[in-house]
Amino acid sequence: MAQNQKRILEMLANNEITLDEAHRMLGALEPDSATPDIPTREEARTVKARPKYLCVTVQPGPGHENDDDAERVNVKVPLALIRSGIKFASVLPRDVGDRVEDRLKDRGIGLDLRNLNPDDLDDLIEALADLEVDVESKDEKVRVFVE
Amino acid sequence: MKRPPLFLRLRIHGEKRRPGCWLPLFILLPLAVALLIVLSPLILLAAIILRRRERRNRKVQLAGIVLRMLFSPGGIRAGFGLLCSTPGLRIDVSDNDGVFQISVI
């Protein structure tokens, strides 16, 4: 790029191009005008990483008497598995899907399996990046978060 | 990039400690697919028979549904997608009585 700038200045010095033309040509060589959409390093730091896992942990609480006999749970589920699960639900045979929907409706859940769209989940998954649930009782400490 | 799981690590023991086992899925899965292809005429026949009888028994009903999903147009693709999403899955439950650990790598 430096060579191009030097050549433009040489052309200007030799009166091969006018001042306005040199200005325009130098402007075209500016890195900012060529790639305006690339974020700076500071901007890139502020962009949140896309969450990949839903984690659930259960640890003994502060009031638990003996830590050795306490139940510990550590579950890490890839969010891609949820998306694939929805895709898999969409291939349910029609009559089976109807039966599942009827059962869910009986329990007060109105879910239309055919209208589930894995692409709509992306917004939900992005929103999950801020999810953090902490429940602490005397015996147990439950934490749900995404990472 | 999506890829099928390579290993399944399984560790289940009670009070007496036992080593876990590593299942090489990268060997087992192609074998399972080959077996499925070889047995596919029989599976298809079973699916047709189960479809007629499936109202009587719940287990037969479930088997029929699984077979019909496997032979549906998007079933294989969706099943493969589900399989490829499992790497990273980890379930670890332990208490005084024992340990249950399963992780897909």
Side-chain angles (χ1 to χ4, degrees):
Chain A
M1 192 172 289
Q3 277 184 349
N4 287 337
Q5 285 173 334
K6 201 176 169 186
R7 184 154 166 71
I8 292 166
L9 292 173
E10 277 175 4
M11 285 162 74
L12 179 67
N14 295 336
N15 287 327
E16 291 173 22
I17 52 171
T18 64
L19 186 65
D20 285 336
E21 283 171 335
H23 181 70
R24 241 183 295 128
M25 287 162 89
L26 284 170
L29 290 174
E30 285 288 318
D32 290 347
S33 62
T35 54
D37 293 334
I38 295 174
T40 61
R41 198 171 285 178
E42 285 74 25
E43 283 171 341
R45 273 185 205 145
T46 58
V47 175
K48 281 182 184 175
R50 199 177 162 78
K52 283 188 175 176
Y53 297 99
L54 176 70
C55 304
V56 180
T57 59
V58 181
Q59 302 285 336
H64 206 277
E65 289 170 359
N66 189 0
D67 270 8
D68 293 336
D69 67 347
E71 193 176 58
R72 289 164 200 272
V73 178
N74 189 0
V75 179
K76 199 172 170 185
V77 183
L79 289 171
L81 191 62
I82 300 170
R83 195 185 289 119
S84 302
I86 287 177
K87 275 185 193 168
F88 199 66
S90 66
V91 296
L92 269 174
R94 184 172 284 274
D95 56 327
V96 178
D98 290 342
R99 270 189 280 173
V100 171
E101 280 174 19
D102 288 343
R103 286 285 176 92
L104 287 172
K105 210 174 276 177
D106 290 344
R107 295 183 182 190
I109 304 166
L111 185 69
D112 190 355
L113 287 172
R114 269 173 223 94
N115 282 340
L116 284 178
N117 186 1
D119 296 332
D120 294 341
L121 265 183
D122 290 340
D123 294 337
L124 178 70
I125 287 169
E126 270 177 35
L128 278 176
D130 298 324
L131 174 78
E132 194 164 336
V133 179
D134 282 310
V135 182
E136 198 171 330
S137 70
K138 201 177 114 189
D139 294 330
E140 279 176 341
K141 209 158 60 175
V142 181
R143 198 161 167 242
V144 182
F145 59 98
V146 289
E147 63 175 30
Chain B
M1 195 187 120
K2 277 191 168 187
R3 60 156 179 86
L6 299 175
F7 289 97
L8 178 79
R9 188 176 176 244
L10 200 63
R11 194 169 164 222
I12 303 167
H13 66 75
E15 287 177 12
K16 198 178 172 183
R17 279 182 170 265
R18 281 181 200 165
C21 71
W22 289 76
L23 294 174
L25 295 180
F26 67 94
I27 296 171
L28 296 177
L29 285 174
L31 286 176
V33 171
L35 196 71
L36 200 71
I37 291 167
V38 170
L39 295 177
S40 59
L42 288 175
I43 294 170
L44 197 63
L45 194 70
I48 293 164
I49 294 167
L50 289 176
R51 184 155 170 73
R52 290 182 181 176
R53 293 185 179 182
E54 72 181 16
R55 286 184 187 178
R56 294 176 197 167
N57 189 330
R58 281 207 162 202
K59 284 177 187 168
V60 176
Q61 208 173 19
L62 186 68
I65 291 166
V66 171
L67 289 176
R68 275 158 63 197
M69 279 174 80
L70 272 178
F71 282 95
S72 68
I76 295 169
R77 205 175 57 182
F80 186 71
L82 197 69
L83 194 73
C84 290
S85 306
T86 52
L89 177 72
R90 187 183 166 164
I91 299 168
D92 184 350
V93 182
S94 62
D95 65 0
N96 199 26
D97 298 327
V99 169
F100 174 82
Q101 282 179 348
I102 187 166
S103 53
V104 185
I105 297 158

